[in-house]
């Protein structure tokens, strides 16, 4: 046994060994950037299975991305070749797997359809079209934010699961005021219920509902998961936290790993306080700090440590570099944005000439729009690049279209029908679509069922409606074959529907290649599974994919936002546009948000392994509508740790520092109350315009839609708005 233990623990440092062998009770591991947390998680999984002898099916290991889950499974199979890692999943993947067994308790079918964000927007588009709404009323983003806020505050699952709820979900008005956000939420929930759709939030909330309402279900899964470990715990939301807390109550073995200094997703529901307060929430918590960094040189790490120590919401630690000394960090100040980006381009060419491959280089920025001047410079200097913030593979139109055909065979759902009904064009225009909608509404049937009834009528004469019906009918029959090959089924759908011919006629080779790549992806998925995969299982897996690995051109510089880069590492990293109003963003409104911006910068710095470059520029910026000044994060770094290039006058530096001092004071002393997000916003009263609802914020002002119908932008510091 000792020989086995030594083999498993081989290559771990003392802190990592302590984390791996601390198997019982509540354990919090503070894992700094590059400290080997994935190695700890996978080794601990193997240790529990091989040394303690616990069946892998009783170990729940939650990650935040499918890519991370796949990497964990791959590493575990080195020790356990036959282990499929069935419970190494994302939160949404784990909830989906539980719901497949338990959702019948809520009178919901087990073959529910999971919506991604594109599906959600399609649902909103349908609501807008049917009710005369436009994006001027509410953006899709504001609607999705409001829907998420609603679901986080109301026990809405009963509306889906309780047959006695025939009218409207709790907390929503019965009267139909079409201009209000809560009306959109109401219609969204109605369409969800009718079609048995679940979005990502629902996967967690439905699981919690079952655990709250059915003791036997909760106890079953508590017994199932004797050991639970959660990666990236600093990014968990309150509902996700509640879920793992509930599951761990019986065996009390909960192991969480994370780094509060890398909490950069509070806008997505992450709550840094859950990690910081973990030791107070549970009794007898053991805290282990992984403080050795294996990624970056001491010079890079010292810059990150110097920056992040200015935050107060953190667990104090200084990462120590294991690597030998390397190149000092460079900070370049340019006169203009163009000069800044040309400096980056020229430095990259210098690195290339010295033997550094282009695919070892990444340029990071705070927001997507900041890539444009970088791209201009790269085009000028002939530097190949790949943008990693473009449309993801599974979100591309032709891929969504192709998968919609598979979904209609399995689910017969309205979203898929709406997507394929006239793509390629079949002569089914607005008038005919309206007839389908009307019949579906009147008869309370799906759009596909209504279409079947109408396809042979005079209204659809001289269209390809009958051909589409025949394609779908044959596809449904083929999909029911227990031995169906999903790749062959897709091939049938694309050919029989005319979609493949349509792409050929469009002459877009890239789109054809993407569809071919989808077929290859299906084959890879089935091969990885190692067993027969049903169409429903494949579609569920695709719905849970948030992003695929992008290979891109191996000999190209990577361009991406810092958020996209989280979890990645590169030998050489350029962090550009480090100006006030850009990085940190001009949208920051309080001290807590500024600390998160600083964490974003910290994440950017710690992506670098060998070389780190920081840059900014002077001049006027159209985004901030003011003079560009160096980021406060540059001033946060000890001057002795970076080599500075470019000229800044003493007057300019003092002006920048004075601006930052004033900004810091304003962030710490907010003079105007921050209105709470309540569905579409807080109800307020204006002395002239009367009562209204706050619908958003814009450059330090509140956008208010007044009951009179007028929309006004009211300065936040005016003090004229009062809560009602």
């Amino acid at each position: 046994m000792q020989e086995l233990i030594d083999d498993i623990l081989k290559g771990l440092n003392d802190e990592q060994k302590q984390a791996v062998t601390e198997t019982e009770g509540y354990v919090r591991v503070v894992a700094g950037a590059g400290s080997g947390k994935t190695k700890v998680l996978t080794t601990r999984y193997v240790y529990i299975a091989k040394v303690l002898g616990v069946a892998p099916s009783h170990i729940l290991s939650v990650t935040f991305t499918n890519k991370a889950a796949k990497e964990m499974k791959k590493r575990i199979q080195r020790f356990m070749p036959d282990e499929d890692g069935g419970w190494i999943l994302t939160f949404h993947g784990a909830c989906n797997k539980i719901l497949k067994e338990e959702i019948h308790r809520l009178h919901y079918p087990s073959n529910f359809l999971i919506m991604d964000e594109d599906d959600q927007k399609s649902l909103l588009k349908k609501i807008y079209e049917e009710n005369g709404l436009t994006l001027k009323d509410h953006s899709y983003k504001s609607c999705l934010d409001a829907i998420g806020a609603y679901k986080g505050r109301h026990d809405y699952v009963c509306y889906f699961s309780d047959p006695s709820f025939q009218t409207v979900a709790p907390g929503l008005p019965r009267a139909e005021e079409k201009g209000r956000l809560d009306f959109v939420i109401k219609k969204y929930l109605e369409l969800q219920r009718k079609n048995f759709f679940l979005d990502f939030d629902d996967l967690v909330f439905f699981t919690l509902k079952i655990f709250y309402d059915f003791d036997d279900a909760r106890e079953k899964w508590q017994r199932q998961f004797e050991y639970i470990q959660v990666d990236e715990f600093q990014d968990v939301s309150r509902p996700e936290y509640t879920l793992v807390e509930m599951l761990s109550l019986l065996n009390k073995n909960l192991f969480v790993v994370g780094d509060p200094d890398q909490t950069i997703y509070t806008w997505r529901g992450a709550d840094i306080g859950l990690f910081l307060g973990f030791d107070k929430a549970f009794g007898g918590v053991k805290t282990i700090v992984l403080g050795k960094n294996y990624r970056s040189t001491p010079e890079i790490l010292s810059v990150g440590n110097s920056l992040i120590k200015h935050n107060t919401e953190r667990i104090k630690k200084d990462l120590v570099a294991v690597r030998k000394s390397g190149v000092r960090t460079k900070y370049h100040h340019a006169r203009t944005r163009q000069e800044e980006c040309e400096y980056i381009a020229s430095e990259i060419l210098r690195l290339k000439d010295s033997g550094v491959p282009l695919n070892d280089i990444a340029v990071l920025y705070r927001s997507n729009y900041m890539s444009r001047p970088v791209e201009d410079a790269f085009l000028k200097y002939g530097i190949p690049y790949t943008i990693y913030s473009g449309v993801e593979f599974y979100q591309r139109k032709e891929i969504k279209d192709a998968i919609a055909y598979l979904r209609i065979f399995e689910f017969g759902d309205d979203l898929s029908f709406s997507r394929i009904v006239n793509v390629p064009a079949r002569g089914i225009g607005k008038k005919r679509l309206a007839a389908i909608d009307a019949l579906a509404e009147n008869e309370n049937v799906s759009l596909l069922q209504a279409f079947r009834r109408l396809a042979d009528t005079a209204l659809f004469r001289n269209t390809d409606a009958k051909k589409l019906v025949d394609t779908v009918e044959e596809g449904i029959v083929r999909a029911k074959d227990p031995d169906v090959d999903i790749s062959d089924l897709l091939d049938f759908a694309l050919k029989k529907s005319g979609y493949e011919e349509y792409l050929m006629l469009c002459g877009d080779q890239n789109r054809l290649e993407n569809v071919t790549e989808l077929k290859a992806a299906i084959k890879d998925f089935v091969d990885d599974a190692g067993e027969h995969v049903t169409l429903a299982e494949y579609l569920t897996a695709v719905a849970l994919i948030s992003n695929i690995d992008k290979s891109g051109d191996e000999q190209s510089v990577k361009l991406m936002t810092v958020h996209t880069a989280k979890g990645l590492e590169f030998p050489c990293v350029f962090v550009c546009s480090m100006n006030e109003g850009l990085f940190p963003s001009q949208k920051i409104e309080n001290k807590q948000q500024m600390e998160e911006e600083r964490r974003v910068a910290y994440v950017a710095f710690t992506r670098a392994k060998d070389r780190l470059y920081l840059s900014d520029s002077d001049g006027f910026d159209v985004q901030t509508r003011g003079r560009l000044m160096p980021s406060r994060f540059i001033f946060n770094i000890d001057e002795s740790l970076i080599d500075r290039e470019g000229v800044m006058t003493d007057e300019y530096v003092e002006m920048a520092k004075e601006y930052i001092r004033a900004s810091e004071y304003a962030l710490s002393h907010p003079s105007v109350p921050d209105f709470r997000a309540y569905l579409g916003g807080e109800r307020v009263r204006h002395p002239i315009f009367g009562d209204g609802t706050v619908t958003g914020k814009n450059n330090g002002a509140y956008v208010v839609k007044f009951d009179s119908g007028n929309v006004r932008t009211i300065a936040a510091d005016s003090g004229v708005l009062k809560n009602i």
Side-chain angles (χ1 to χ4, degrees), residues 38-59:
T38 304
K39 189 175 185 178
V40 165
L41 284 162
T42 53
T43 306
R44 187 174 184 272
Y45 184 102
V46 173
Y47 187 90
I48 292 171
K50 301 285 283 186
V51 177
L52 302 188
V54 176
S57 60
H58 289 267
I59 307 170

Side-chain angles (χ1 to χ4, degrees), residues 534-553:
T534 67
L535 178 58
E537 289 170 339
Y538 170 72
L539 291 171
T540 295
V542 169
L544 291 170
I545 291 174
S546 60
N547 198 355
I548 66 164
D549 297 339
K550 309 181 185 81
S551 57
D553 179 355

Side-chain angles (χ1 to χ4, degrees), residues 396-407 409 419-420 490 493-494 499 515 518 539:
R396 293 171 185 167
K397 182 183 184 303
E398 60 273 16
I399 301 304
K400 298 285 286 185
D401 289 343
I403 290 175
Y405 278 102
L406 295 180
R407 293 205 324 188
F409 297 160
R419 188 166 197 104
I420 70 170
L490 176 62
L494 297 176
Y499 191 78
V515 171
L518 177 61
L539 291 171

Side-chain angles (χ1 to χ4, degrees), residues 91-122:
F91 269 106
H92 297 118
C95 288
N96 174 67
K97 199 167 180 178
I98 292 169
L99 288 175
K100 288 295 183 184
E101 292 190 32
E102 305 294 346
I103 202 168
H104 66 275
R105 297 171 183 267
L106 301 179
H107 308 286
Y108 228 70
S110 60
N111 68 331
F112 54 84
L113 189 150
I114 302 172
M115 297 189 295
D116 61 18
E117 186 173 323
D118 193 63
D119 292 327
Q120 290 178 287
K121 289 178 179 177
S122 295

